[in-house]
Amino acid sequence: MKANFFKMKQGKLIIFSAPSGSGKTTLVHYLLQQPELNLAFSVSATSRDKRPNEVDGKDYYFMSPETFKHKIKNKEFVEWEEVYRNNFYGTLKSEVERLLNQGKNIIFDIDVKGGLNIKKQYPNQSLAIFVQPPSIEELKKRLESRQTETPEKIKMRIEKAGEEMQYAKDFDVIIVNDDLEKTKKEAYKIVQSFIES
Ligand code: 5GP
């Protein structure tokens, strides 16, 4: 049989993971605005409450814990985590397939364990990037100024951040976000060279 020399280049998976408040979402949005990277955002499913500025189907697929659990049973997820108590988050298989079929590179904004899980499942086409906040103190300040969470939820996120930092070493790349403009440029270079490889 003749080899298929014209096989389309396989889409890349760019995974951004970090403690909440480290600035990874800002970086992901910045990269999505660069058309030459041909990136599409993987919209996760979640059972947490929608924030006022969020749009269903764009930021997340919002669903009840029951629907989420039903999808777990049906094996509809590439990975899922109970990131905070009773708040489930997961990447749907249908979402990854949809974007790869469109010929896109996919960018993920997901928690640390989920990120490593995706990397394991797509070892040859993924790059896992850990965005590290300069310090836990700085992280606390950022979460407080964001004013999207209650003090109790901030406390929960700070505790989790300490745990999450331990996984940094398992990622392909660590970016320390101490200066957002500098970090944006660094992230762009890393992603661009991986996509071109
Ligand atoms: P937030 O509630 O601030 O939107 O997200 C909380 C945490 O859940 C963040 O660390 C976010 O990256 C993570 N997260 C979002 N989507 C997914 C997903 O599909 N899978 C996993 N494992 N974590 C996710």
Side-chain angles (χ1 to χ4, degrees):
M1 209 169 74
K2 228 176 165 183
N4 181 4
F5 292 112
F6 302 105
K7 212 173 150 205
M8 248 172 62
K9 202 174 162 194
Q10 203 177 30
K12 297 273 170 63
L13 275 58
I14 314 291
I15 303 153
F16 273 86
S17 295
S20 169
S22 61
K24 78 174 177 307
T25 304
T26 311
L27 290 174
V28 167
H29 285 163
Y30 169 74
L31 293 171
L32 280 165
Q33 283 161 15
Q34 316 306 318
E36 66 282 9
L37 297 177
N38 188 30
L39 289 167
F41 180 66
S42 165
V43 179
S44 297
T46 186
S47 67
R48 82 143 158 77
D49 293 339
K50 190 161 87 64
R51 295 178 189 144
N53 58 332
E54 289 179 324
V55 178
D56 187 28
K58 181 171 169 270
D59 297 289
Y60 282 107
Y61 300 113
F62 292 96
M63 56 188 70
S64 66
E66 291 68 37
T67 306
F68 199 105
K69 285 179 194 161
H70 179 74
K71 288 185 186 295
I72 296 175
K73 234 190 220 157
N74 270 355
K75 302 199 182 329
E76 290 181 44
F77 289 104
V78 181
E79 63 76 37
W80 64 271
E81 292 284 333
E82 190 173 2
V83 177
Y84 305 105
R85 235 192 100 164
N86 228 356
N87 283 359
F88 293 92
Y89 295 80
T91 306
L92 290 160
K93 287 179 188 167
S94 57
E95 181 71 0
V96 176
E97 278 159 24
R98 181 176 76 84
L99 298 173
L100 286 179
N101 286 339
Q102 284 177 12
K104 292 288 189 182
N105 298 308
I106 312 182
I107 191 161
F108 298 80
D109 174 349
I110 70 178
D111 96 314
V112 170
K113 282 188 200 156
L116 291 174
N117 224 330
I118 296 212
K119 167 100 195 147
K120 220 185 278 165
Q121 294 187 53
Y122 298 91
N124 301 324
Q125 64 195 109
S126 58
L127 180 73
I129 302 171
F130 188 91
V131 184
Q132 193 167 299
S135 67
I136 292 279
E137 254 323 292
E138 177 62 28
L139 191 73
K140 189 160 174 264
K141 258 198 243 158
R142 288 184 194 175
L143 283 173
E144 282 166 355
S145 68
R146 200 159 83 176
Q147 294 186 326
T148 53
E149 314 301 321
T150 60
E152 191 190 307
K153 284 204 173 147
I154 290 181
K155 189 167 168 265
M156 205 161 80
R157 283 178 186 241
I158 294 291
E159 278 169 13
K160 191 169 170 71
E163 250 174 63
E164 288 170 327
M165 300 276 234
Q166 323 250 324
Y167 290 92
K169 62 178 189 330
D170 300 328
F171 281 72
D172 298 316
V173 185
I174 299 175
I175 302 180
V176 179
N177 184 13
D178 46 4
D179 168 346
L180 190 58
E181 288 314 307
K182 187 193 95 196
T183 311
K184 277 181 186 170
K185 286 190 192 127
E186 193 184 346
Y188 180 91
K189 264 198 212 144
I190 292 167
V191 170
Q192 186 196 35
S193 74
F194 180 69
I195 284 174
E196 282 173 3
S197 65

